[in-house]
Amino acid sequence: MREGLTVSEAQVWIQQAVPTLVAEVVPTADALGRVLSESVVSGRRIPPADCSAMDGYAVRVADLAGAGPGSPVELSLVFEVAAGGRASRPLRAGEAARIFTGAPLPEGADAVVKQEDTEEAGERVRCGVVPAPREHVRDGGEDIDIGDVVLETGCVIRPAEIGLLASLGRSMVPVHRRARVAILSGGDELVEVDGDVSGGRIVASNSYTLSAQCRAIGADPVYLGISPDRPESVEQQFRAALLADCIVSSAGVSVGDHDHVRTVLEKLGCRLEFWGVKMKPGYPLAFGRFEGSGSAGGPIVFGLPGNPVSASVTFDQFVRPALLRMMGHTRCFRPTIQARLVETLRKKPGRLHFVRVTLERSDGEWLARATGNQSSGVMRSLALADGLLVFPLEAEELAEGEQATVQIVDDGFFAAEQPGF
Ligand code: AMP
Ligand code: MG
């Protein structure tokens, strides 16, 4: 087992280690946020045939030579085509057909004159313009043709993709499976959310935070409760977790006398690959795999630190990208921006610090300000944060006015109160 990786070494290691989950076929209507496991090839043309883009009259351009607002040309109005309807016969010279948006263009017609440029008079219609050939006509297959690759493998399904799939007649769609994540807590001091906190007990809040972090990316958390600090209990809890794709345990693997997680994992056949990442919050992170991990074998395992901020931040840096990758995503990391520091930050070299910051827009740039007490237990300062400022491994000072990279952790950060245009 390796010890003491840098953040980027750990990220690379984990991304290379995680398997992609197998595909399943789900109703298109329920596929929002899922990732396509196969490309989608159209078996249809959309629109199915040449059709009108306007309410107006289908005409033959040649009939309207010389037409103008003061000198309209009169055509015989011979039939009508509604959306979903069909022309009963081709359009002949000197004829026009009433046509509605989306209706198929009659054979023989080569343009549509929009209603506003015409005047209907009984069996006749006067056109005051000469349309360009195919004006207001949508070509059959203009949007999609038979054989077109409409959506590529790996595409994330948003509402537009759902509509597109529906228009192709796909009521079901192949996507990567959601990751099932077993969430475990361990410690004699821990109680459930409505438990008795007298005598220094604390709520096992990490399972709430981490389950929500799973849900936020479309993974399925399965909460397996709190295990007391006893080897048999820890083992029983981990056995129950073996059916998951990923096990997230907090508190995890540390060197304390009461930490049985490591022993139990090894007994169950988990190979711990590394322990310790040079970061703050969150040094004591463990990553392991069961033989044949992934769809075929056992789950991947993260032993997260128990401190609430450390657990949440390490989840975000390592578990979140791993789960996204398992579920077929290729863009697994949070976005970053550059921001100017409004205060000087100092630390010892040797660990990368993720500093909880708020961000504010000023004179065309972002300003970053630490959210106060950065201790690993202070969840409020994480709740207040818009982002995590990256204070590099060996750096000792980031001076006021310097630019730094900030990872945006609030999914709604770029949402606005005003339209902005
Ligand atoms: P440990 O890693 O067991 O030494 O725990 C470090 C700190 O995190 C201790 O203060 C624990 O009480 C706390 N802690 C451990 N597990 C959880 C949890 N599931 N929810 C909230 N705090 C926890
Ligand atoms: Mg503990």
Side-chain angles (χ1 to χ4, degrees):
M1 182 174 69
R2 276 275 306 276
E3 198 180 324
L5 276 66
T6 65
V7 170
S8 46
E9 282 168 347
Q11 276 163 341
V12 169
W13 189 309
I14 291 164
Q15 287 291 297
Q16 284 174 353
V18 297
T20 306
L21 296 173
V22 293
E24 62 180 352
V25 177
V26 303
T28 299
D30 297 335
L32 190 64
R34 305 289 287 272
V35 179
L36 272 181
S37 60
E38 283 171 33
S39 59
V40 172
V41 178
S42 178
R44 288 186 178 175
R45 303 177 85 200
I46 297 178
D50 292 355
C51 64
S52 179
M54 288 282 175
D55 287 345
Y57 296 86
V59 298
R60 300 162 65 104
V61 174
D63 288 345
L64 295 180
S71 53
V73 169
E74 257 189 24
L75 301 170
S76 331
L77 190 51
V78 287
F79 54 82
E80 177 178 303
V81 206
R86 265 187 78 180
S88 47
R89 63 165 179 80
L91 201 68
R92 303 193 191 107
E95 294 180 342
R98 182 83 173 112
I99 195 162
F100 297 95
T101 307
L105 198 70
E107 208 183 303
D110 55 7
V112 169
V113 178
K114 62 179 192 293
Q115 202 161 308
E116 297 88 311
D117 295 329
T118 63
E119 195 186 312
E120 205 176 301
E123 306 284 274
R124 308 191 61 78
V125 60
R126 288 190 203 104
C127 299
V129 293
V130 188
R134 306 202 62 83
E135 191 163 339
H136 304 314
V137 173
R138 292 184 62 207
D139 298 338
E142 168 186 294
D143 186 1
I144 294 169
D145 216 337
I146 294 171
D148 282 357
V149 176
V150 182
L151 299 171
E152 306 269 2
T153 308
C155 160
V156 179
I157 300 178
R158 299 168 303 170
E161 281 76 17
I162 293 200
L164 204 48
L165 288 160
S167 66
L168 294 174
R170 303 288 184 101
S171 58
M172 304 293 284
V173 61
V175 292
H176 289 285
R177 208 157 60 61
R178 289 181 192 281
R180 272 189 304 264
V181 188
I183 307 280
L184 285 59
S185 276
D188 291 332
E189 75 282 26
L190 301 177
V191 294
E192 294 295 352
V193 67
D194 46 5
D196 173 9
V197 290
S198 59
R201 294 180 149 233
I202 60 163
V203 172
S205 59
N206 288 352
S207 32
Y208 277 74
T209 318
L210 301 172
S211 296
Q213 286 179 278
C214 289
R215 287 207 183 87
I217 54 166
D220 268 338
V222 182
Y223 177 49
L224 292 180
I226 302 165
S227 155
D229 282 325
R230 278 204 319 274
E232 320 81 74
S233 316
V234 175
E235 180 174 337
Q236 195 179 23
Q237 199 192 30
F238 271 90
R239 280 192 187 279
L242 289 177
L243 282 176
D245 303 303
C246 175
I247 299 178
V248 175
S249 165
S250 94
V253 183
S254 71
V255 288
D257 287 347
H258 301 287
D259 284 308
H260 307 292
V261 172
R262 182 172 173 177
T263 328
V264 164
L265 277 172
E266 281 169 349
K267 179 177 170 193
L268 294 179
C270 175
R271 189 159 35 88
L272 282 172
E273 298 197 346
F274 68 77
W275 184 84
V277 179
K278 294 175 188 158
M279 64 186 278
K280 196 177 171 181
Y283 185 88
L285 171 93
F287 175 70
R289 285 198 275 178
F290 282 83
E291 238 18 271
S293 268
S295 332
I300 58 168
V301 181
F302 290 91
L304 304 188
N307 274 315
V309 176
S310 311
S312 180
V313 170
T314 49
F315 183 100
D316 227 45
Q317 302 307 318
F318 305 107
V319 188
R320 182 180 182 277
L323 295 176
L324 285 170
R325 166 129 312 186
M326 290 172 103
M327 296 190 291
H329 290 266
T330 49
R331 294 189 297 170
C332 300
F333 294 94
R334 289 199 177 276
T336 59
I337 59 164
Q338 293 300 304
R340 193 177 295 284
L341 269 163
V342 300
E343 62 200 308
T344 298
L345 300 175
R346 292 194 180 81
K347 71 167 176 66
K348 288 194 223 122
R351 286 201 199 180
L352 182 156
H353 284 206
F354 288 102
V355 183
R356 289 150 255 169
V357 295
T358 56
L359 293 165
E360 187 193 329
R361 194 83 183 142
S362 164
D363 285 338
E365 61 176 3
W366 291 105
L367 301 181
R369 185 186 309 274
T371 59
N373 189 336
Q374 296 287 313
S375 139
S376 306
V378 180
M379 207 48 186
R380 254 191 90 193
S381 65
L382 186 59
L384 289 172
D386 296 315
L388 294 173
L389 183 143
V390 178
F391 195 162
L393 186 77
E394 297 303 348
E396 294 179 59
E397 184 181 287
L398 284 177
E400 177 184 342
E402 263 190 79
Q403 292 275 347
T405 299
V406 177
Q407 186 188 51
I408 305 295
V409 290
D410 174 359
D411 291 329
F413 179 70
F414 290 107
E417 284 176 18
Q418 299 297 327
F421 58 87

